[in-house]
Amino acid sequence: GENVEQHPSTLSVQEGDSAVIKCTYSDSASNYFPWYKQELGKGPQLIIDIRSNVGEKKDQRIAVTLNKTAKHFSLHITETQPEDSAVYFCAARKRGTSYGKLTFGQGTILTVHP
Amino acid sequence: DADVTQTPRNRITKTGKRIMLECSQTKGHDRMYWYRQDPGLGLRLIYYSFDVKDINKGEISDGYSVSRQAQAKFSLSLESAIPNQTALYFCATSSEATGGAAFFGQGTRLTVV
């Protein structure tokens, strides 16, 4: 089955700096890669996603890049703010599987210091 | 997401007890999922359902069962709870119209003592 590895497990940055979280996946049949943000006491919330026919996608201060050849994708957060502090999860879905049937990475605890 | 509601939010139960976690949604999505979250392991899929008559095992279904009572309701049962089932449980929904996005409830924190 699919395996998703996520690094780093914790990331600490100063406000205004950039943060990058990286994930690798094992199954070349995966074609959908969402990123979720989980704040304390809440469920994961989708913040951005990318499909295998696209190399990069941006939404204001966040962006995701995908390298299909290397089978890795990354989340980039620029101009970080304290409210960006949360746990971030990457995930992958294999082509042909149900839309919500995701394989998740282990999570990254991001702390943004004011 | 308030559209996906889980009850209870917190529960402490004893080893060997049967417990049911409930999920209801007002999103009108046909697909529902139960995930389990453990520190350092991310979220892992327990069961998923495409509609009321379709139930499928996920990655870690042993020790769990589910019931899809209606399109909007999906419950997870632990027939005989054990301590290593202590975890955070999430219900999620999706549909073809969401284009792949899954929407999660607020979670249920279950402790088995």
Side-chain angles (χ1 to χ4, degrees):
Chain A
E2 173 68 281
N3 183 54
V4 178
E5 295 288 333
Q6 183 172 346
H7 299 280
S9 56
T10 61
L11 180 60
S12 183
V13 301
Q14 289 297 128
E15 183 176 1
D17 288 350
S18 295
V20 180
I21 302 170
K22 299 181 180 180
C23 289
T24 60
Y25 60 99
S26 62
D27 195 335
S28 56
S30 291
N31 67 346
Y32 174 69
F33 307 93
W35 284 89
Y36 285 85
K37 176 183 180 181
Q38 184 179 21
E39 297 175 329
L40 196 62
K42 297 185 178 181
Q45 182 177 11
L46 179 71
I47 55 172
I48 195 168
D49 56 12
I50 192 168
R51 302 180 191 282
S52 59
N53 60 345
V54 175
E56 182 177 5
K57 183 176 179 181
K58 291 182 179 179
D59 183 2
Q60 299 182 349
R61 294 187 298 110
I62 61 173
V64 56
T65 58
L66 171 65
N67 183 326
K68 288 190 294 183
T69 302
K71 289 190 283 189
H72 66 70
F73 55 112
S74 299
L75 177 71
H76 305 254
I77 306 175
T78 59
E79 300 174 19
T80 54
Q81 302 168 3
E83 50 265 41
D84 294 329
S85 296
V87 181
Y88 290 82
F89 292 98
C90 64
R93 188 191 76 221
K94 186 176 176 179
R95 183 181 303 114
T97 58
S98 173
Y99 286 110
K101 192 166 180 273
L102 302 167
T103 300
F104 283 84
Q106 295 85 349
T108 296
I109 301 172
L110 173 64
T111 304
V112 180
H113 298 282
Chain B
D1 192 315
D3 296 329
V4 183
T5 303
Q6 293 184 232
T7 56
R9 292 295 311 279
N10 290 281
R11 180 71 181 268
I12 300 174
T13 191
K14 293 184 178 179
T15 297
K17 293 292 187 180
R18 182 180 188 276
I19 183 169
M20 180 182 289
L21 309 182
E22 299 186 343
C23 177
S24 63
Q25 53 116 345
T26 58
K27 288 189 165 295
H29 293 167
D30 55 346
R31 300 167 194 195
M32 298 187 73
Y33 310 80
W34 277 104
Y35 282 89
R36 167 178 171 161
Q37 183 178 13
D38 297 279
L41 295 178
L43 290 88
R44 293 179 291 166
L45 184 62
I46 307 172
Y47 269 95
Y48 61 103
S49 169
F50 291 165
D51 61 39
V52 175
K53 298 180 180 179
D54 185 280
I55 302 290
N56 303 277
K57 291 183 178 181
E59 181 186 355
I60 53 165
S61 59
D62 287 349
Y64 301 94
S65 62
V66 292
S67 174
R68 186 82 183 265
Q69 300 93 329
Q71 187 185 41
K73 296 183 181 296
F74 194 36
S75 60
L76 176 71
S77 293
L78 287 68
E79 296 302 325
S80 180
I82 56 177
N84 75 0
Q85 291 177 314
T86 293
L88 194 53
Y89 290 84
F90 287 101
C91 174
T93 71
S94 73
S95 72
E96 190 168 346
T98 69
F103 295 85
F104 287 81
Q106 300 262 43
T108 294
R109 183 169 296 280
L110 176 66
T111 303
V112 183
V113 297

